[in-house]
Amino acid sequence: MSALPDSAVTTVTGACPHDCPDTCSLRTTVIDGVATRVQGNADHPHTGGVLCAKVSKYTERTYHADRVLQPLKRSGPKGSGQFAPVSWDEALGDIARRLHTIAQRNPEAILPYSYAGTMGQVQGESMDRRFFHQLGASLLDRTICASAGSEALTATYGGKLGMRVEFFAESQLILIWGSNAITSSLHFWRYAQEAKRNGARLVCIDPRKSETADKCHEHLQLLPGTDAALALALMHELIRNDWLDHDYIARHTLGWDALKARALEWPPARAAAVCGLQEAQITALARAYGTTRPAAIRLNYGMQRARGGGNAVRAIACLPALVGAWRHRAGGLLLSASGALPAQRARLQMPHLLGERRPRTINMSTIGDALLHPGDANFGPKVEALVVYNSNPVAVAPESHKAAKGFAREDLFTVVLEHFMTDTADLADYVLPATTQLEHWDIHGSYGHTDVLLNRPAIAPEGEARSNAQIFRDLAAQMAKLNPGFAAPHFHDSDEALCRTAVAGTNVDFDQLLNDGFASLKLPEAPFAEGGFQTPSGKCEFVSERLAKQGISALPDYVPNYELPDANAAFPLAMISPPARNFLNSTFVNVKSLRNSEGRPLLEMHPDDAASRAIADGDLIRVHNPRGEHVCHAAINGRARKGVVVGLGIWWRKNGENGTNVNELTHQHLTDMGRGPCFYDCVVEVEKLATALNA
Ligand code: SF4
């Protein structure tokens, strides 16, 4: 079978690789070897022929004039932007020697750093993991997005499972909680629209008046980090009015009496004061949720990016069991469906290559502190080498001035696999050109639906770009000259072979993937209609002994933010930093048409907060707290609630007026569960700047 299409005009089926729950099926039109158009696959039900604006522009990104197309070696001081092109042999030979030298002293001084810049099983977590496991490098705790919610869901349901997204179309009430679906889950939104046309009521719960809130029947604009208090008050009202499914509770839940006692501590008036809502909003929502069937909740990860994020997800995840919403396929909750994918991760990643070694684990959410740590008996050795792929930590990690300072260490050896010179690539010793999704094989599960997708290469790699898996294969070949362990046959598996390995022995038919580009997993329509939770008790666990043993509250609770806004304090405004509509984390910031749509880095402010600081729409402002300052422009557009400002992200630092982005202000404290970052748990003050910085 040919890896590339051979006719002059053809269409190639692929999958969107980006960190988005929708995992769209792509159709790329290729004319004489050039990708001319990327469209949504109309045959894939979840994609329905529609892509978001970001990926519709994929050819602009792939053929971008700024693509890194050959290996680059730093030729000036760190961060000077001075790089010289080198051959692959020179780059890989030197990198292998440097890593080998460090590994001979202590392989834990080497750290991989990757996340979901590319979500594929092959280009994201296969040959790379084999490489680092063979080396014995430090392990990375990949927490930066979803770990609090993931652990909460696992504690409550036993895994990352939930409603099938297509059945939201049949719901009569949909709570869209912590999600700007129009921006970050467009295809779920299509199902929600269908439900709306069929008479469903849509309620948005979000501190920002988002584009999604605009289109819902109702918006509860609560204060950041107060979601658990709202969920407990909803429970209170469900109990008080007996809007409960006693049979479901008795047969399929664990810890009802204890949860009931906890919920009765939260009358709506108490929650209203904590959440900054009207009591009547809470009682009305409880009535709707308690009396409408089927009722569904679409959670997203925004609401778990605060200190109590794990507890908040647990509290919300209890709601469907209380009212028996799971009985109907259009009722229940969806945060992540990724637990449904039967991928052969161990075969892809080969953790057994570690042997008896048990390297330390470094949390990616505290990379700033980790890189600045001198090393000691507790921490282990100072990080001497870093290999970054599928991520731009200098822009996306919290407290980014520390991340930037760490990456700027002259004694740190940094290799970055990238498409573009991002903030992180700017601080590398080597930048290795990586292929885009149009240029390589990959296989994808989804965290928003329950299909598996195959990505076939549509075009040959641009310039000298190589796939991530190829780069680690080639690096292993260089290492094999120094360490015979890297000569093993599993370091020769091709990308296509790795795709086959990902689903070998599962009920996913690879031939179907080759033919159609996707295959639907065979799953029940209503996963918990008859209980069957994957917890130790087999029930929806309101009370978790496992968490109690970890020192976490056995029952869900409201855990206040680390940083609470106080009108009389020096930093009286809460700040959240959700994604800008045309960016996906820090990806797409350099695609001109998308960046033009966003304009410039903005901070949304409530008119009262702006007026009390003599700030007008469009003014240049300084947003600051003890961690740093970020200069951007004020947007008084009706989206921020009083007392909360919204820094849409994630711009690259180098696009910022003072070389920063919103993460200059965020901190490295971790969530109550999952060791995740608290991006939306941050206080700031804002002031008008009299003149532009460069005036
Ligand atoms: S980013 Fe999301 S909505 Fe856009 S094409 Fe990719 S999967 Fe689809």
Side-chain angles (χ1 to χ4, degrees):
M1 177 176 35
S2 164
L4 288 173
D6 48 13
S7 58
V9 181
T10 191
T11 305
V12 182
T13 305
C16 176
H18 291 289
D19 189 358
C20 168
D22 295 11
T23 315
C24 289
S25 177
L26 309 181
R27 284 258 166 88
T28 303
T29 303
V30 182
I31 302 178
D32 293 331
V34 177
T36 58
R37 196 169 181 192
V38 179
Q39 295 169 283
N41 181 357
D43 295 335
H44 182 235
H46 298 304
T47 305
V50 178
L51 299 181
C52 64
K54 299 171 282 248
V55 174
S56 300
K57 303 276 179 15
Y58 220 68
T59 56
E60 188 180 340
R61 187 171 187 274
T62 299
Y63 296 116
H64 198 297
D66 296 342
R67 267 284 296 272
V68 177
L69 293 176
Q70 59 191 129
L72 301 174
K73 181 179 183 182
R74 179 164 67 90
S75 57
K78 275 224 167 154
S80 65
Q82 296 171 47
F83 289 89
V86 291
S87 70
W88 272 107
D89 281 350
E90 182 184 340
L92 294 173
D94 191 27
I95 294 166
R97 280 189 295 277
R98 302 272 303 259
L99 294 181
H100 179 68
T101 302
I102 296 168
Q104 282 188 308
R105 284 198 303 277
N106 189 341
E108 291 180 74
I110 299 168
L111 178 68
Y113 194 104
S114 70
Y115 200 65
T118 293
M119 292 201 75
Q121 299 284 308
V122 172
Q123 307 306 342
E125 40 190 319
S126 64
M127 195 58 73
D128 54 314
R129 308 295 167 95
R130 294 182 185 184
F131 181 87
F132 291 111
H133 288 146
Q134 179 68 44
L135 200 57
S138 287
L139 302 173
L140 184 72
D141 201 4
R142 290 176 168 83
T143 58
I144 204 158
C145 178
S147 58
S150 298
E151 290 204 2
L153 215 56
T154 300
T156 312
Y157 299 161
K160 289 190 273 182
L161 298 164
M163 279 180 65
R164 297 218 334 228
V165 67
E166 57 269 38
F167 297 134
F168 277 89
E170 300 168 9
S171 302
Q172 278 300 297
L173 174 70
I174 304 177
L175 311 190
I176 302 173
W177 200 323
S179 171
N180 183 3
I182 290 177
T183 290
S184 59
S185 188
L186 182 66
H187 296 80
F188 154 74
W189 180 246
R190 292 173 69 237
Y191 291 124
Q193 288 294 287
E194 195 178 328
K196 191 178 177 187
R197 285 193 293 275
N198 292 332
R201 185 166 183 80
L202 307 190
V203 180
C204 178
I205 302 171
D206 192 325
R208 176 176 184 254
K209 188 172 185 298
S210 65
E211 294 82 353
T212 305
D214 290 342
K215 304 274 190 217
C216 287
H217 296 97
E218 196 176 341
H219 177 208
L220 273 68
Q221 196 168 11
L222 75 182
L223 287 165
T226 63
D227 306 76
L230 175 59
L232 288 163
L234 293 177
M235 287 180 209
H236 181 283
E237 288 303 278
L238 297 177
I239 294 164
R240 198 178 64 81
N241 293 288
D242 198 20
W243 291 319
L244 298 168
D245 185 331
H246 293 281
D247 174 63
Y248 194 94
I249 292 169
R251 289 198 293 134
H252 303 308
T253 70
L254 182 75
W256 166 233
D257 289 342
L259 181 68
K260 183 177 177 184
R262 169 64 47 85
L264 289 175
E265 295 167 9
W266 282 91
R270 180 182 176 195
V274 169
C275 300
L277 295 172
Q278 299 295 318
E279 190 178 337
Q281 291 178 285
I282 298 175
T283 53
L285 180 60
R287 173 175 292 279
Y289 190 70
T291 59
T292 310
R293 297 290 174 274
I297 301 174
R298 181 63 171 106
L299 267 188
N300 211 342
Y301 287 106
M303 44 74 60
Q304 46 101 70
R305 294 193 179 120
R307 181 185 184 186
N311 265 282
V313 170
R314 289 175 69 202
I316 297 165
C318 293
L319 291 168
L322 295 183
V323 298
W326 288 116
R327 291 185 188 276
H328 196 292
R329 69 180 189 174
L333 176 147
L334 176 63
L335 172 60
S336 171
S338 65
L341 179 68
Q344 299 281 17
R345 287 203 167 82
R347 286 194 202 166
L348 285 175
Q349 301 179 16
M350 298 193 165
H352 67 272
L353 296 176
L354 281 171
E356 298 299 310
R357 298 170 296 178
R358 291 292 173 270
R360 63 154 172 212
T361 299
I362 289 181
N363 188 340
M364 69 188 314
S365 298
T366 51
I367 188 66
D369 281 347
L371 292 181
L372 296 175
H373 200 294
D376 62 23
N378 281 334
F379 180 75
K382 179 165 80 169
V383 178
E384 294 183 57
L386 198 57
V387 182
V388 182
Y389 49 104
N390 301 339
S391 187
N392 180 11
V394 174
V396 304
E399 203 169 4
S400 60
H401 79 275
K402 283 194 177 173
K405 192 173 169 192
F407 272 85
R409 273 176 39 203
E410 281 292 340
D411 65 339
L412 180 72
F413 178 60
T414 305
V415 178
V416 177
L417 283 57
E418 251 304 348
H419 304 135
F420 298 104
M421 293 305 293
T422 61
D423 290 331
T424 305
D426 285 347
L427 292 167
D429 292 278
Y430 279 100
V431 183
L432 302 179
T435 45
T436 67
Q437 190 78 344
L438 301 192
E439 300 156 85
H440 57 225
W441 287 93
D442 215 333
I443 194 158
H444 292 256
S446 169
Y447 62 100
H449 60 68
T450 48
D451 293 352
V452 179
L453 286 81
L454 182 69
N455 186 75
R456 300 176 71 141
I459 57 172
E462 283 289 284
E464 297 179 28
R466 297 181 183 179
S467 74
N468 287 355
Q470 178 73 41
I471 292 171
F472 283 103
R473 243 184 335 261
D474 295 344
L475 200 50
Q478 292 287 341
M479 291 292 284
K481 298 174 187 171
L482 306 162
N483 174 345
F486 283 96
H490 47 253
F491 287 111
H492 298 278
D493 290 349
S494 71
D495 289 15
E496 185 187 340
L498 290 165
C499 286
R500 290 178 180 274
T501 299
V503 293
T506 73
N507 57 11
V508 178
D509 179 357
F510 196 78
D511 288 334
Q512 186 186 350
L513 294 178
L514 285 169
N515 285 335
D516 302 339
F518 64 91
S520 298
L521 299 173
K522 293 172 185 59
L523 295 165
E525 291 188 347
F528 305 130
E530 288 300 324
F533 293 91
Q534 296 177 4
T535 54
S537 64
K539 299 187 173 187
C540 178
E541 294 202 356
F542 299 151
V543 167
S544 171
E545 271 180 37
R546 279 189 297 174
L547 293 181
K549 282 182 187 151
Q550 295 168 33
I552 297 168
S553 167
L555 277 173
D557 203 357
Y558 162 62
V559 180
N561 280 3
Y562 287 107
E563 299 191 350
L564 291 164
D566 176 346
N568 301 315
F571 302 99
L573 300 168
M575 186 188 83
I576 59 172
S577 45
R581 186 168 184 173
N582 290 283
F583 303 155
L584 207 162
N585 300 326
S586 75
T587 307
F588 300 107
V589 172
N590 64 327
V591 176
K592 198 170 169 216
S593 59
L594 297 170
R595 191 173 63 227
N596 288 346
S597 299
E598 287 302 323
R600 56 192 179 181
L602 297 174
L603 188 82
E604 295 177 339
M605 299 185 75
H606 187 273
D608 292 354
D609 292 328
S612 62
R613 293 164 177 80
I615 292 170
D617 187 47
D619 278 353
L620 192 70
I621 52 174
R622 173 176 171 262
V623 194
H624 62 104
N625 65 18
R627 290 177 287 276
E629 63 179 46
H630 171 52
V631 176
C632 60
H633 289 83
I636 303 165
N637 55 11
R639 300 216 175 272
R641 63 164 284 160
K642 194 169 158 77
V644 179
V645 293
V646 183
L648 296 172
I650 301 174
W651 288 83
W652 293 1
R653 284 166 64 86
K654 57 187 166 189
N655 296 129
E657 295 272 355
N658 66 336
T660 67
N661 64 17
V662 284
N663 280 323
E664 195 75 1
L665 304 160
T666 53
H667 55 70
Q668 295 181 72
H669 301 314
L670 300 176
T671 49
D672 54 348
M673 297 172 62
R675 308 159 306 284
C678 297
F679 290 114
Y680 303 170
D681 177 344
C682 173
V683 293
V684 299
E685 178 55 293
V686 182
E687 66 182 29
K688 180 175 173 173
L689 285 177
T691 52
L693 293 183
N694 55 1

